Amino acid sequence: MTIGIGLLGLGTVGAGVADILANPEGRHPLVAELALRRVAVRNLDRPRAVPVAPELLTTNPEVVVDDPAVDIVVEVLGGLEPARTLILRAIAAGKPVVTANKAVIARHGEEIAAAAAAAGVYVLLEAAVGGGIPIIEPLKQSLGANRIERVSGIINGTTNYILSRMAAEGADYGAVLADAQLLGYAEADPAADVQGADAADKIAILTGLAYGGSVPREAIPTEGIDQLDARDVAYADKLGFVVKLLAISQRIDSQPDSEPGTLAGTAQQPGSQLLDVRVHPTLLPRSHPLAGVNGVFNAILVEGDPVGQVMFYGPGAGAGPTASAVVADILNIAGIREATNPSGSAKGPVGLDPLLAAGSWRQCHLIDGARTTHRNYVRLRTSDEAGVIGRIGTCFGEAGVSIQSIVQFEAESEAAEIVVITHEVLEAHFRQALEAIAALPEVQGVAACLRTL
Ligand code: HSE
């Protein structure tokens, strides 16, 4: 049975998909049954990396979705619109959808899942997070029995490339970014990558799958690497840490009180799940499983009960790896069609992905930032005189913040740089200490503040 594929987009990922479909030799036999029937492009005349018959091309993406010869719609346009509308249009027509679009799923995932549930069609999205790394299906299926405690990942290749080079070369963020753009590792407009939005989209999706309920994408606290100073990467190295842009989604079973001195647990609403979800540069001890992930590679560490730690590592972007994930989703749908309808036509509903059914999701809430607990790295610029470290220590102590280490580094002129690593402390206590420290006459400024694992 031939299965008709409609491709929305023929950019990097779309071309990778077309290439796999055009070269089925040596792959799963089902690949040979996938036929590219229609392809939506922006510009008909643009030269293409892969040969696609010109009669398949159209500039009207609705033509692709509506074509009766298209059984599965593959959305690799990126961006919110028209991607969202086209996905919903395909679902309404009873056509399963495969998408690599993290932005649309992170913001409209529930709407899309509800529409898919109502129409009884699959929407698969393995390529939306981690490129070629299988993480969506493992979270949905293979790890489904676990109580997930934490998902943490390096899920943006551009920033990991920049951070890896900053660490290896002692180079400034701006210089490495400019070079990465020249070499094609960073986009001409790198904002979504370097400011953390891309990683926040991806952790929003992983959160939904890990905890069975979505969190509002715009509420995820997000800090990128664009303000990161090379000095902090160098000091972290001296102290035994590497700096990575981490996306973290963590179960919180009871919420500590934010008032200094009182740490009583706060009850949650029954059935709901409290989560701490965030994206920020993070100091990782060199022994941490994610610390050795360098260059454009991605990795996701899933910690669950009873499985323990499971880590997924691989290429997080690029035509081949992302197309590998897209075509795997197409094959899943094609395989189910064959199993449920071995001799009939390829049309009609193919069944619902039960774990994406919106009706079965629980309510998830983000914890108030002041009530989260972290280890912290803070760099202070101070005058170099007797008693300064003591006064800083007193401010931390009075706020209930326990210090793990405090080190003075040489700085230019009469100033000193003091780096403090705290034990895990309540964010509200840490902020209170920083306020008191910033007000000390010997302290010229809080130069950097980073989270530490
Ligand atoms: N821009 C992303 C990254 C790849 O740098 O990892 C697509 O998700």
Side-chain angles (χ1 to χ4, degrees), residues 102 128 155-159 185 187 193 198 202 298 316-317:
K102 65 228 152 185
I155 47 179
N156 182 269
T158 305
T159 47
Y185 289 119
E187 304 276 349
D193 291 317
D198 177 81
K202 292 167 179 170
N298 283 196

Side-chain angles (χ1 to χ4, degrees), residues 42 50 133 175 182 187 208 224 272 304 333 384 435 445:
R42 272 206 198 91
V50 282
I133 304 173
L182 274 179
E187 304 276 349
S272 71
I333 295 168
D384 195 2
E435 228 173 88

